Amino acid sequence: MRSIADVTTGTVRAVVEIDAPPADVFAALTEPEQLALWWGGDLYRTYDWQMDLRPGGAWSVKTEGRQGHSEVRGEILEVDPPHALTLTWQASWDGFARTTIRYRLDAVSSGTRVTVVHDGFAGRPEQCENHAQGWDLVLGWLAAHAARR
């Protein structure tokens, strides 16, 4: 697994293969109870996940870590269980700048290939690079959680 930041286009692309079926991985990405179990790993705690899983629905989460409290929120743009999820991402530490995350889940012999495309960082190379590093962590946490289930 390796996330790649294309600072020219402002896009992060990441791919991971997870030893779990697509339905389980999709559930781990969309069910608030599961998200709270894995997102943040040992670095920070996520809580109060809200997920109105329909196009136009809102989602949000609060976090607590060494650097204090923060919030991330957005809108669900596409839901196609267990194959695709697209949502906007607006983080308090980034001034609630609007970016877009697309998850694609494909069944493969080893379980599920998850492809993430996170765009909207044009003209903000540092944020693009930071999010690429973040996706390496997040997809590692997701893979460990989904494979355990």
Side-chain angles (χ1 to χ4, degrees):
M1 165 185 45
R2 172 101 171 100
S3 300
I4 307 285
D6 182 343
V7 297
T8 305
T9 63
T11 301
V12 176
R13 181 179 167 81
V15 179
V16 65
E17 290 195 7
I18 299 175
D19 184 17
D24 291 356
V25 176
F26 191 86
L29 287 168
T30 58
E31 293 177 1
E33 316 77 50
Q34 287 199 53
L35 285 158
L37 291 174
W38 66 266
W39 196 300
D42 293 334
L43 292 180
Y44 55 90
R45 181 176 76 92
T46 63
Y47 63 100
D48 196 21
W49 280 92
Q50 304 294 316
M51 184 77 64
D52 183 3
L53 197 59
R54 62 179 177 81
W59 75 272
S60 64
V61 62
K62 296 176 181 162
T63 69
E64 177 181 30
R66 291 186 308 251
Q67 298 179 355
H69 296 272
S70 58
E71 177 187 349
V72 184
R73 63 186 181 223
E75 177 185 350
I76 305 294
L77 302 176
E78 174 196 17
V79 181
D80 180 15
H83 308 291
L85 175 67
T86 305
L87 49 85
T88 63
W89 172 274
Q90 297 166 262
S92 60
W93 64 84
D94 192 22
F96 292 106
R98 182 181 165 127
T99 59
T100 303
I101 299 170
R102 292 176 188 84
Y103 296 95
R104 177 79 201 157
L105 286 69
D106 294 300
V108 294
S109 61
S110 61
T112 304
R113 178 180 300 119
V114 178
T115 304
V116 175
V117 177
H118 191 170
D119 60 22
F121 300 106
R124 301 183 316 130
E126 185 176 334
Q127 283 295 328
C128 190
E129 290 283 351
N130 289 345
H131 279 79
Q133 293 171 15
W135 279 112
D136 283 340
L137 293 171
V138 169
L139 292 179
W141 298 329
L142 171 63
H145 171 78
R148 280 193 305 266
R149 299 185 74 78

